[in-house]
Amino acid sequence: RDHRKLGKQLELFTFSKKVGQGLPLWLPNGAALRSRLEDFLKKAQIKAGYEMVVTPHIGQKELYVTSGHYEKYGEDSFQAINTPKENEEFLLKPMNCPHHCEIYNAKPYSYRELPKRYAEFGTVYRYEQSGELHGLTRVRGFTQDDAHIFCMDSQITSECVRFCELLQAIYKDFGFADLKVKFSDRPETRAGDDETWDKAENALLVAIKAADISYSLNPGEGAFYGPKLEFVLTDAIGRDWQCGTLQVDFVLPERLGAYYVDVDGQKKHPVMLHRAVL
């Protein structure tokens, strides 16, 4: 019932003081298990219309300044990596979303081509204090089953419902038939004005009602760029763990210059749906 003991007994993973706290090393048995899990999830997501992408482990600091992630997390996370000659500043990737937005920006899109769904098993790095580290549940480097959907306002509900159905099907396959869902609304410190947040929160509420999912309110716990649903699983001894998430974001596409051409030939910012299963 303790994954740390199982990890050692089954030779799945280990930690090394020489490598660093909170940075798991996957042993052959664990790497094989992880590979099978990723293959299972990839097949499910490709079948659901996602395209697999790969992004680097670092990015220019300016990218995260523009997106707002540096303002939100920068001082409390790993600090900049400087190149020896060009005097460039890079950060270990704290989130996959700015990278996926740049993938979307690689070419122009018409409304006819939306939604675009990008999925990645992307490794991210976040500085957690040593006293908060706990096995694989709280680490400094971890790989997310992460995806982002770029769509029009009119597609938000259908895309959210599709994701909820995918998530529930995957959880059921792993034996999690019951899950708790929390609706997390605007935090005190956030990007975007009240009108933008009203629009995002309403869109997510409409979507969860369309998905026919019961939920409880989790006031003030949304992401800095948008409200979110938190999908909570219960382990063998009754502890709750927040795993999957779904967020509606009108902020980052505008900040990072993402757009599509609508039916009238006008440029519009798409909605960005952030979602993760595990």
Side-chain angles (χ1 to χ4, degrees):
R1 293 172 184 265
D2 187 332
H3 79 280
R4 295 170 297 178
K5 292 182 179 179
L6 288 173
K8 185 175 182 179
Q9 293 170 357
L10 300 177
E11 298 184 358
L12 300 177
F13 62 89
T14 189
F15 291 90
S16 164
K17 291 182 180 179
K18 294 180 179 179
V19 173
Q21 295 186 82
L23 299 172
L25 299 170
W26 292 90
L27 304 175
N29 289 346
L33 180 61
R34 175 173 165 163
S35 178
R36 292 182 66 179
L37 176 60
E38 288 185 1
D39 288 344
F40 170 81
L41 291 170
K42 282 180 182 177
K43 289 179 182 178
Q45 293 184 118
I46 291 172
K47 184 177 179 181
Y50 291 84
E51 299 173 286
M52 302 305 300
V53 298
V54 179
T55 61
H57 291 248
I58 65 174
Q60 293 250 28
K61 176 182 175 181
E62 187 60 34
L63 173 64
Y64 308 113
V65 171
T66 302
S67 69
H69 287 92
Y70 187 78
E71 179 182 359
K72 178 68 175 178
Y73 304 110
E75 292 184 0
D76 298 319
S77 193
F78 292 107
Q79 296 306 296
I81 304 166
N82 295 293
T83 55
K85 294 183 180 180
E86 292 84 359
N87 198 31
E88 298 170 303
E89 288 188 302
F90 289 82
L91 292 179
L92 291 172
K93 180 172 61 174
M95 297 278 191
N96 295 302
C97 32
H99 293 243
H100 288 188
C101 202
E102 290 306 302
I103 286 177
Y104 177 87
N105 288 343
K107 60 169 286 187
Y109 287 104
S110 159
Y111 70 97
R112 296 186 182 90
E113 299 172 279
L114 299 184
K116 296 296 294 182
R117 309 181 187 97
Y118 299 130
E120 175 182 18
F121 292 95
T123 302
V124 297
Y125 303 89
R126 302 173 190 174
Y127 179 74
E128 301 286 355
Q129 297 184 40
S130 58
E132 297 176 336
L133 299 174
H134 182 81
L136 295 179
T137 60
R138 183 63 70 90
V139 290
R140 290 176 174 171
F142 61 95
T143 302
Q144 289 182 301
D145 158 47
D146 206 5
H148 296 89
I149 302 167
F150 297 85
C151 65
M152 297 181 287
D153 290 18
S154 61
Q155 296 170 321
I156 294 175
T157 298
S158 60
E159 287 301 309
C160 288
V161 170
R162 282 171 60 99
F163 169 66
C164 289
E165 291 173 347
L166 173 65
L167 176 139
Q168 289 174 303
I170 290 173
Y171 284 179
K172 186 176 181 180
D173 285 340
F174 285 109
F176 294 102
D178 298 320
L179 67 154
K180 302 172 185 175
V181 182
K182 298 179 181 180
F183 178 87
S184 300
D185 60 12
R186 68 192 73 184
E188 184 176 343
T189 302
R190 57 187 181 270
D193 57 25
D194 288 342
E195 182 179 354
T196 299
W197 275 87
D198 289 343
K199 182 178 179 182
E201 288 173 353
N202 182 65
L204 189 54
L205 284 170
V206 169
I208 193 172
K209 289 177 182 177
D212 195 24
I213 294 177
S214 299
Y215 64 92
S216 61
L217 294 178
N218 193 24
E221 294 300 319
F224 76 89
Y225 47 76
K228 66 179 176 179
L229 298 181
E230 299 181 17
F231 298 90
V232 180
L233 301 179
T234 304
D235 68 15
I237 58 175
R239 295 174 301 184
D240 287 345
W241 298 93
Q242 185 247 298
C243 290
T245 57
L246 174 62
Q247 301 154 3
V248 175
D249 176 11
F250 291 98
V251 174
L252 292 193
E254 181 176 354
R255 285 190 168 191
L256 295 174
Y259 70 87
Y260 69 94
V261 179
D262 70 8
V263 66
D264 297 317
Q266 303 294 314
K267 288 185 178 180
K268 286 189 175 180
H269 297 297
V271 185
M272 190 175 181
L273 304 180
H274 305 242
R275 46 114 302 184
V277 175
L278 298 174

